[in-house]
Amino acid sequence: MAKEKVSQSQLDGVQYRRAKLWQVILYAFNAFVGMSAYSLIGMASYTASIGFGIATAAIGVILTCTRILDGITDPLLAFLYDKVDTKFGKLRILLIGGYIIEALALWAMFDGLASKGFGSVVFILCYVVYVIGYTITNMTAQTLPAIMTNDPKQRPTVGVWVTAFNYLVPMALSIVLNMVLLPKFGGQFNQAYLAAAAKLCIGLGAFGTIMVCIGISAFDKPEYYKGVENHEPLRLKDMIDVLQHNKPLQAYIAAQSSDKIAQITASQAVITTLMSGILIGNMGLATMLSVISMLPSIIFAVFGAKYAGKHGSKKAIVFWTKICMVMAVILTVFFIVIDPRTIGKMGSISMILYVLLTLGFNGAKMCVTTADNSFMADIIDFELDRSGRYIPAVVTGTYSLIDKIISSFGALMATGAIAIIGYVNTVPQPTDELTTGVYVVTLCVSYGLPIIGWIITLLAMKNCSLDKEAMIEVQKRIAEKKEELAK
């Protein structure tokens, strides 16, 4: 497999590098790594409270600080990415090593050291180790699409598979966690449930890591992850230079950070409990409805990829972001004019309408995600054209630093939101009473915050010049530089 040739295609006057379909699919298995950890870490508030006895208000502060640390480690570990270069390559070494660190930390946080009498210090240490492992795997994974293909028509296709898995994996996990495991442990987020969830998620992550390593093995060679000029050791000023002069990266940071903080806040387990368990009043049915509305919406990602391939990633982000905003407004009005408890009744008109509206909402978000994935690869190539250096880890690390510092406040915002309505020393449970405060906070966090994020996205993209035509010229200049270097 290591000697396998990577296919080429001739489009737009540029000889593009393309990956085979099976390689793209196996790369998309990275969703098992990222989404299983994402689903598990979304319950960090519960393990902090139940397993380590930390108060709700303190949990928000701790999770915010550790996510800021997560952002700081990304650009720092770009130096590690730059230095690793063995006879087995660098990509697989980083993916496997990072996941081992991440998995051990998650096991300790949710099972091994939880409910053993340890306090906040041990919890924080476990979270810090998790952040280091997650950063290594996530940073490496973000560089892979740009390494595997530079074809503007194939990059959105990579995004389709990534988007599909990124939604399917957490959907399947939510079914198992909320409809299979949770009832077995009395319908409560207790220590036994958290330990079982940890074992499941860690196992899925290990499976995903193996699949990704198989898929990218043909690209784990210096000719694919080095630039068009002699490579000098990375310095801190390289990151500052990227942030100052890569204008598309600046626009991407503004767009993604605003969207991410809304997504992280709304996806916290305490908020999903408010929505599914209290507002709708049926945790199991609400989970099933989310899955039902999500599965068909994956088809939207295919249309989103075709739109991005035809019009470019930037235009696709703008178009589908507008659709997301419209659907969020409609869903907010829907919850206002109906009794949300009727959604939790099987076969009701409210339930059917909720599924249809959520289908459109999720579909539009999938199209945005697909365009986002291909746009990051475009930004990496833009930097290669601008500076002559292929430093994808610096680009993704610089983005992650700013993104995570901003989005780190998501957990704090979630715990702060529930504290406002009375959850100061406890966390929401599906059996709690529906109050006006729960009603208002749930809608504001679930739909209001995303709308604000999308407004910022549209403003950022308005000032970004990296459209489809610009990317064709970027690839032509890169090809010319490589030809000159070869001579």
Side-chain angles (χ1 to χ4, degrees), residues 73-83 90-91 94 135-136 138-144 146-147 225 234 239 242 376 380 383 389-401:
T73 56
D74 279 1
L76 293 179
L77 285 168
F79 293 95
L80 173 65
Y81 183 98
D82 183 62
K83 291 183 178 298
K90 77 162 62 185
L91 306 175
L94 291 169
T135 299
I136 295 172
N138 186 55
M139 179 190 66
T140 305
Q142 287 186 49
T143 67
L144 297 180
I147 293 174
Y225 52 73
L234 285 180
M239 298 180 184
V242 168
M376 172 50 83
I380 290 173
E383 179 60 29
R389 302 180 66 185
Y390 196 63
I391 46 178
V394 174
V395 176
T396 58
T398 304
Y399 152 69
S400 294
L401 170 62

Side-chain angles (χ1 to χ4, degrees), residues 42-56 59 108-111 113-120 123 182 185 187-195 269-270 273 425-430:
M43 295 184 283
S45 298
Y46 285 98
T47 192
S49 176
I50 297 168
F52 295 87
I54 305 173
T56 304
I59 292 171
M109 192 188 313
F110 285 85
D111 186 6
L113 300 181
S115 296
K116 301 293 193 301
F118 297 107
S120 58
F123 175 81
L182 193 59
F185 297 98
Q188 297 286 321
F189 289 87
N190 52 40
Q191 181 56 56
Y193 166 78
L194 294 172
V270 290
T273 299
N425 296 311
T426 60
V427 285
Q429 294 291 349

Side-chain angles (χ1 to χ4, degrees), residues 385-416:
D385 174 48
R386 186 190 73 84
S387 66
R389 302 180 66 185
Y390 196 63
I391 46 178
V394 174
V395 176
T396 58
T398 304
Y399 152 69
S400 294
L401 170 62
I402 309 299
D403 171 76
K404 288 177 180 176
I405 289 176
I406 295 174
S407 61
S408 64
F409 292 94
L412 182 60
M413 290 172 66
T415 54

